[in-house]
């Protein structure tokens, strides 16, 4: 009678870790803050008070907005710079090098430029504006390599994009509030009178004089 030996059973790992961008997004802590567009800047200033020594990337849709936001945060004593398509490649590389070395804490940029910067050790990604394309939102979070957290400022204009992102993730993002933030009324647009244009009655008078 032959002796029967037990062969060890190979253990099957039932937990599979997915590394596609959507899966990375689901594992990354995220929060949203509802705010009117004209109040985003002041809310962000309060939101970042606890992150002055943190490597932060803020993503906006336009160069003009990046510059304005950089000026505002610098006035609040944040170590920040804007990086966008109007800057030479050497300037972009210098900003990325300072960020990676930890001597620059906040970079404000666009989705297109962010892809070229090769930033490291990002601890906070702020979506100042949500992207039109849901995939770009996943790209933003993936740049952190699951080392940090993500926040998004949601204006009424951003809400359709938020709906699409949450639908695609099959998950709602946690809503939070900023302590000390007070919403303000939208400033009224003042239309400056063009002094170079003549009043209608003077135009008509000049026209009649020419006809005579």
């Amino acid at each position: 009678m032959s002796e029967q030996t037990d062969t060890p059973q190979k253990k099957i790992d039932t937990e599979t870790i997915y590394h596609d961008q959507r899966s990375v997004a689901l594992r990354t802590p995220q929060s949203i803050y509802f705010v009117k567009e004209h109040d985003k800047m002041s809310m962000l200033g309060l939101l970042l008070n606890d992150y002055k020594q943190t490597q932060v990337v803020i993503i906006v849709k336009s160069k003009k907005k990046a510059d304005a936001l950089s000026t505002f945060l610098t006035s609040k004593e944040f170590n920040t710079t804007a990086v966008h398509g109007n800057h030479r490649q050497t300037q972009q590389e210098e900003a990325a090098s300072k960020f990676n070395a930890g001597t620059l804490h906040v970079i404000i940029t666009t989705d297109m430029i962010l892809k070229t910067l090769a930033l490291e050790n990002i601890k906070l990604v702020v979506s100042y504006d949500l992207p039109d394309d849901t995939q770009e939102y996943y790209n933003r979070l993936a740049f952190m390599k699951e080392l940090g957290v993500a926040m998004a400022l949601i204006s009424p204009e951003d809400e359709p994009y938020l709906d699409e992102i949450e639908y695609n993730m099959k998950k709602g993002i946690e809503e939070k509030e900023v302590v000390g933030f007070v919403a303000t009324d939208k400033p009224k647009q003042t239309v400056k009178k063009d002094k170079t244009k003549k009043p209608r009655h003077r135009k008509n008078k000049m026209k009649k004089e020419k006809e005579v």
Side-chain angles (χ1 to χ4, degrees):
M1 182 176 178
S2 62
E3 184 179 353
Q4 185 176 358
T5 58
D6 294 330
T7 55
Q9 294 289 325
K10 186 177 179 181
K11 187 178 179 181
I12 299 175
D13 186 8
T14 57
E15 184 180 357
T16 304
I17 302 298
Y18 295 96
H19 296 284
D20 62 280
Q21 290 179 329
R22 178 178 171 275
S23 298
V24 169
L26 286 169
R27 294 195 298 269
T28 301
Q30 302 166 62
S31 56
I32 55 175
Y33 300 82
F34 287 99
V35 60
K36 295 292 181 63
E37 186 67 33
H38 67 273
D39 277 333
K40 278 188 177 183
M41 197 174 286
S42 60
M43 176 180 275
L44 181 64
L46 291 172
L47 192 61
L48 293 183
N49 274 334
D50 295 330
Y51 295 91
K52 286 198 172 182
Q53 301 301 316
T54 305
Q55 299 310 98
V56 180
V57 172
I58 303 171
I59 307 166
V60 297
K61 281 186 176 179
S62 70
K63 304 170 188 176
K64 183 178 180 181
K65 193 175 289 187
D67 287 335
L69 195 51
S70 179
T71 300
F72 171 77
L73 291 179
T74 300
S75 73
K76 298 295 182 181
E77 300 183 350
F78 288 94
N79 181 9
T80 182
T81 191
V83 182
H84 51 65
N86 283 356
H87 298 122
R88 296 188 302 272
Q89 185 175 349
T90 53
Q91 292 175 298
Q92 295 176 18
E93 291 173 351
E94 182 182 1
S97 179
K98 288 180 178 179
F99 184 90
N100 292 341
T103 57
L104 174 66
H105 292 132
V106 182
I107 279 185
I108 306 165
T109 190
T110 61
D111 286 301
M112 183 178 294
I113 298 300
L114 178 59
K115 295 173 184 177
T116 70
L117 293 179
L119 300 180
E120 300 171 1
N121 202 32
I122 304 171
K123 295 299 177 62
L124 172 62
V125 164
V126 179
S127 292
Y128 192 84
D129 300 310
L130 285 184
D132 300 346
D133 182 1
T134 304
Q135 186 60 44
E136 291 291 0
Y137 179 78
Y138 296 146
N139 292 341
R140 295 175 181 184
L141 273 55
F143 283 118
M144 285 192 294
K145 300 176 182 177
E146 301 185 61
L147 296 174
V149 298
M151 302 175 180
L153 305 186
I154 309 298
S155 67
E157 295 82 359
D158 291 311
E159 289 186 27
Y161 306 125
L162 174 64
D163 291 342
E164 188 174 341
I165 288 168
E166 291 184 324
Y167 175 79
N168 194 270
M169 288 175 61
K170 305 293 188 293
K171 176 185 177 182
I173 302 174
E174 182 182 5
E175 179 184 348
K176 293 184 178 180
E177 295 182 355
V178 179
V179 177
F181 171 75
V182 179
T184 63
D185 293 331
K186 185 177 181 179
K188 293 181 180 179
Q189 296 290 334
T190 55
V191 180
K192 291 184 179 180
K193 189 174 181 180
D194 188 351
K195 295 181 180 179
T196 61
K197 292 184 178 180
K198 295 182 176 60
R200 179 176 291 181
H201 69 276
R202 288 190 61 189
K203 284 184 180 179
N204 292 337
K205 182 179 179 181
M206 291 176 67
K207 185 178 178 181
K208 287 180 180 178
E209 287 175 352
K210 286 183 179 180
E211 290 176 351
V212 174

